Amino acid sequence: ITLALGIGRTFTVTDAAFNSTTNTFYFSTDGGALFAVPTSSGTATSIALSNSSVAIQAVAFTPNGQWAYAVDSTSPGLVKIDATSNSILKQGTTISLAANSNPRDIAIATVKRPIGGGDNAVYAFVSGDKGITVVNTATDEIFDLGNPDDTDIDGEPIPASIAPGFLSATSSDDGHVLIGNTTGTIGVLTANPWVTLKSLNFSNNANSLTTNGSATITFQADVAGTYEILLGGDVTASGQSLTTSEGQTAVGSVSANTDTAVTVPYASNSGKFSEGTNTFFIFVTDSSDNRGRMARSFTVDTPPGNVAIQSVGFGNGRLFLNFRRLTASDIKTYNIYVSTDETTVATAESPTVQVSQTDSGDTISATVGSLTNGTSYFFAVEAVDNAGNKSPNRTTKLVDGSTATGTPELTAGPIGLSGETGGCSLIRGVL
């Protein structure tokens, strides 16, 4: 797709945005124009915003796709464009950004509780040397959010200790504007409570939550309010409620900048946790119904299940064991214990045989050799996971409830069964 502003005019593309309502890409340039490229045609149309000496630094669309705002870093100002017709709203006019020099980027998002009250509103956020300028796209009003003592300066941005760079806005459910600072850090602009996870500790394992253990979550919020801790879900608080060590739902009150500790036992929530990676979400809601959050992933490491023994077969000096393959993702091996004493297999410390987990299949087979023919042997089986956890109970019974036992016997083919003991040879020739 060729982008051209006229013979001899050179330029650089500075930003790109996609309008999902009109299925059109916008490309801003430092040559005083935008390009609109519909996905249906792939043909670029030039939208002249000003003279060629004006640099258009960035462009963004409102959520409904009706309007586009282009950042004129030369004036500096914002140019408002009707995105349905690709025409400038007021030719030759801009929304002044004079109070925020060198504007760099723009993000547009719906805010739940706009300045002055009311329902949702769409705000544009523009980064510049002085901070973040906030614009109400319904009225194109720039809010005065700077030093209240500067009565002679209108439209001051939210001040920033670090010059903000590129911007990106999350959904209205989350209410964050993310700021790529010029120092290589990420800033967050939000009206929601700021939640900080101080620590996540486990009662009996430094790295994971286990069957008999619990997790203690310690956090702070920068304002007073109420908290709720959920398992899984997302920033819309769609996760599952958890039960604390006191047997209550994990909700309560928090004071500003004060540690709050909540202990969640595995046993009280076992049906909600899954083996492997899980996520806690901590939500804090202030008195104005602003909700902030923090999330932290952690590992649940539970012992493997008990093994079901299907059958025991015999051979010459050996026995064959068949059992059902466990399907948990972290199963490593199976310990097989064999003894002539039924009590020993349930208590022995060292397995007779270890069998590795297979990648697929329903059944695993194991062979135990060097056994004495005519002697009865008892079996026990347990699974072992990657962390060394073992099945809660060794299995010593078959699935039909009978004891897992077998007796190796000498096996013979047809010659042996006929009573011949001298063997047999095949001689080629004529009788």
Side-chain angles (χ1 to χ4, degrees), residues 9 35 53 81 116 126 253 320 364 390:
R9 289 184 62 182
F35 289 102
S53 63
I81 301 162
V126 182
S253 299
F320 307 100
I364 293 180
K390 299 178 181 179

Side-chain angles (χ1 to χ4, degrees), residues 6-345:
I7 297 175
R9 289 184 62 182
T10 60
F11 61 89
T12 299
V13 173
T14 56
D15 195 18
F18 179 67
N19 187 336
S20 59
T21 302
T22 62
N23 289 320
T24 302
F25 289 97
Y26 270 27
F27 297 90
S28 61
T29 73
D30 61 0
L34 296 173
F35 289 102
V37 183
T39 58
S40 58
S41 67
T43 301
T45 299
S46 172
I47 306 172
L49 304 185
S50 185
N51 62 65
S52 60
S53 63
V54 170
I56 308 302
Q57 192 68 31
V59 62
F61 292 99
T62 55
N64 64 5
Q66 181 179 3
W67 306 106
Y69 284 82
V71 177
D72 172 356
S73 59
T74 304
S75 298
L78 286 178
V79 180
K80 189 172 185 178
I81 301 162
D82 185 338
T84 60
S85 62
N86 291 333
S87 60
I88 300 173
L89 183 63
K90 293 181 180 180
Q91 187 69 40
T93 64
T94 62
I95 302 167
S96 175
L97 295 175
N100 194 7
S101 57
N102 193 26
R104 296 182 181 86
D105 198 17
I106 182 171
I108 302 177
T110 301
V111 295
K112 280 187 174 181
R113 282 165 288 281
I115 297 173
D119 297 325
N120 292 349
V122 177
Y123 285 177
F125 301 87
V126 182
S127 61
D129 285 347
K130 302 296 184 180
I132 305 293
T133 298
V134 183
V135 184
N136 184 349
T137 63
T139 61
D140 292 333
E141 173 192 5
I142 294 182
F143 295 112
D144 194 353
L145 302 173
N147 186 346
D149 295 334
D150 292 336
T151 55
D152 57 335
I153 301 177
D154 294 328
E156 283 190 294
I158 299 172
S161 58
I162 301 172
F166 294 106
L167 303 178
S168 181
T170 63
S171 68
S172 59
D173 293 315
D174 198 24
H176 288 172
V177 174
L178 303 182
I179 308 163
N181 293 316
T182 55
T183 56
T185 59
I186 301 296
V188 180
L189 175 64
T190 180
N192 295 330
W194 187 253
V195 183
T196 303
L197 180 65
K198 307 292 288 187
S199 64
L200 175 58
N201 296 315
F202 304 100
S203 60
N204 55 358
N205 189 298
N207 300 311
S208 60
L209 177 62
T210 59
T211 302
N212 299 318
S214 61
T216 299
I217 307 159
T218 303
F219 63 95
Q220 284 189 5
D222 63 341
V223 295
T226 59
Y227 75 83
E228 181 179 22
I229 300 177
L230 300 176
L231 180 69
D234 54 30
V235 297
T236 64
S238 59
Q240 301 180 77
S241 297
L242 292 168
T243 302
T244 68
S245 56
E246 290 79 23
Q248 302 170 344
T249 304
V251 297
S253 299
V254 293
S255 300
N257 302 312
T258 302
D259 282 358
T260 298
V262 180
T263 299
V264 178
Y266 178 90
S268 303
N269 303 277
S270 58
K272 301 170 184 176
F273 293 116
S274 58
E275 183 75 16
T277 302
N278 294 250
T279 302
F280 283 128
F281 273 92
I282 307 165
F283 294 95
V284 174
T285 305
D286 65 16
S287 58
S288 298
D289 202 31
N290 297 306
R291 184 177 66 194
R293 51 83 185 166
M294 170 60 70
R296 175 61 59 88
S297 295
F298 64 100
T299 300
V300 172
D301 190 6
T302 59
N306 295 324
V307 180
I309 302 176
Q310 297 167 300
S311 63
V312 178
F314 71 92
N316 183 10
R318 66 190 62 194
L319 291 172
F320 307 100
L321 185 71
N322 296 309
F323 53 89
R324 289 177 185 161
R325 175 184 176 274
L326 298 182
T327 58
S329 61
D330 64 340
I331 301 299
K332 182 179 182 181
T333 57
Y334 298 89
N335 289 340
I336 300 171
Y337 302 84
V338 183
S339 175
T340 56
D341 178 68
E342 186 174 4
T343 303
T344 299
V345 293

Side-chain angles (χ1 to χ4, degrees), residues 343-355:
T343 303
T344 299
V345 293
T347 59
E349 294 184 2
S350 300
T352 307
V353 172
Q354 280 190 319
V355 178

